[in-house]
Amino acid sequence: MPELPEVEVCKRGIEPHVLYQNVTDVIVRNANMRWPITPTISDICGEKIMSVNRRAKYLLLETSKGVLMLHLGMSGTIRVIDKDTPVTKHDHFDLVLENGLALRLNDPRRFGSVLWVTEDINEHRLIKKLGPEPLSPDFVDDCLYKKSRNKTVPIKTFLMNNHIVVGVGIIYANESLFKAGIDPTKQAGKISKKRYLELTKHIKQTLAHAIEQGGTTLKDFTQSDGKPGYFAQELLVYGRGGQPCFTCETNLKEIKQAGRATVFCSQCQKN
């Protein structure tokens, strides 16, 4: 599943091609996504895209009338293509632009979404209760520590709660906890402020580096131009259960937490 760095890379990839372009057409081939494509989606036609932003894993294309909110779901990709490019299987939606290009959403599992929002985007039900962006000034050093007090859930589960902080998905939670030397099964409320400050630093560094490297290459993810990301080559623990730790050579453990894989080193992550 694309995580925050992959979506940020996608945002940066499409922005030069769509910014200040007028929308000439929308093509809906299958409206049955995670949520049905908004029936009034054609209202964006004739509008100019004034900004391209990201909030959590949502891509936000803003116009004077409203915001086109896109989500890649589990397996979605957005490509910048010539508008006459032949359609392939699972090409569910095209946003056609005056420059002859189109944004095409391909989503085999249809867990993504295409929503046309005319209300204040910050008040939308999918946006309103989200936590701070991990690379923004709102994610201050003691943010996690303050939110964790009296929390009994494991720290990895805590990190992946979008109401706490957005975008720290399964890959980057595993990696950041390893770098901070924190046991992913430890209760969030029992971790010291000092450890949280260290964890916050590693979350920021790991996500920023992943964005620089073009996102993590997973089987379902490619950038907007079709090129894969490269960060997967540098993963220290995720996807390496049973293999030797790069630091101490102890075999990494893999367990399930809330149905998701957690990989960690029992020697390096004792805090």
Side-chain angles (χ1 to χ4, degrees):
M1 179 179 183
E3 295 199 29
L4 185 148
E6 288 78 39
V7 180
E8 178 64 24
V9 168
C10 183
K11 177 255 180 188
R12 296 182 185 187
I14 68 175
E15 187 172 26
H17 304 286
V18 306
L19 191 61
Y20 305 129
Q21 291 293 317
N22 288 320
V23 178
T24 59
D25 196 10
V26 292
I27 301 171
V28 178
R29 300 184 185 89
N30 190 340
N32 296 318
M33 308 290 285
R34 183 176 183 182
W35 300 286
I37 293 179
T38 309
T40 57
I41 192 72
S42 61
D43 287 354
I44 196 174
C45 292
E47 288 294 296
K48 179 177 289 187
I49 297 174
M50 302 304 298
S51 67
V52 181
N53 296 306
R54 179 193 54 76
R55 182 69 171 104
K57 297 181 184 180
Y58 296 100
L59 292 170
L60 306 174
L61 280 60
E62 301 186 18
T63 76
S64 62
K65 279 187 179 180
V67 179
L68 182 65
M69 184 162 67
L70 305 171
H71 195 286
L72 300 179
M74 296 290 291
S75 59
T77 57
I78 292 179
R79 301 287 184 87
V80 178
I81 58 169
D82 184 279
K83 67 182 181 64
D84 296 321
T85 300
V87 175
T88 61
K89 189 175 182 180
H90 308 303
D91 285 343
H92 302 312
F93 174 79
D94 285 7
L95 183 76
V96 184
L97 306 170
E98 65 178 337
N99 58 5
L101 299 177
L103 288 187
R104 177 167 291 175
L105 173 64
N106 181 285
D107 188 358
R109 302 181 192 175
R110 289 189 286 114
F111 286 163
S113 62
V114 179
L115 301 175
W116 173 240
V117 181
T118 54
E119 64 189 91
D120 180 352
I121 192 65
N122 294 312
E123 295 299 315
H124 191 274
R125 61 183 179 83
L126 296 174
I127 300 289
K128 187 174 183 179
K129 295 183 179 180
L130 291 176
E133 292 283 334
L135 297 178
S136 76
D138 294 333
F139 189 53
V140 294
D141 289 346
D142 62 352
C143 179
L144 291 177
Y145 174 75
K146 288 181 177 179
K147 291 185 176 184
S148 69
R149 297 306 84 191
N150 301 317
K151 296 293 192 299
T152 59
V153 297
I155 177 60
K156 178 169 168 283
T157 304
F158 176 76
L159 282 183
M160 293 178 64
N161 183 339
N162 279 329
H163 295 163
I164 303 299
V165 58
V166 301
V168 187
I170 184 172
I171 295 173
Y172 302 104
N174 275 280
E175 294 296 301
S176 299
L177 287 168
F178 173 76
K179 292 175 182 178
I182 295 175
D183 181 345
T185 67
K186 190 170 183 177
Q187 289 184 13
K190 293 186 176 180
I191 295 172
S192 69
K193 184 175 183 179
K194 180 180 179 180
R195 302 309 301 172
Y196 269 116
L197 295 180
E198 186 74 8
L199 176 59
T200 299
K201 178 186 73 174
H202 285 297
I203 289 172
K204 292 179 178 181
Q205 290 178 348
T206 301
L207 290 172
H209 185 55
I211 292 170
E212 291 173 3
Q213 294 298 311
T216 299
T217 301
L218 299 175
K219 65 179 180 179
D220 289 330
F221 175 71
T222 54
Q223 297 182 49
S224 59
D225 60 1
K227 297 178 182 178
Y230 302 104
F231 189 69
Q233 300 173 23
E234 302 181 18
L235 295 177
L236 300 176
V237 289
Y238 182 78
R240 299 190 62 247
Q243 299 180 42
C245 172
F246 289 135
T247 301
C248 71
E249 297 188 350
T250 299
N251 285 348
L252 298 173
K253 291 186 176 181
E254 181 167 349
I255 61 174
K256 291 286 187 180
Q257 289 181 296
R260 309 296 294 278
T262 296
V263 183
F264 65 104
C265 178
S266 58
Q267 294 302 310
C268 295
Q269 294 172 258
K270 290 184 175 181
N271 293 304

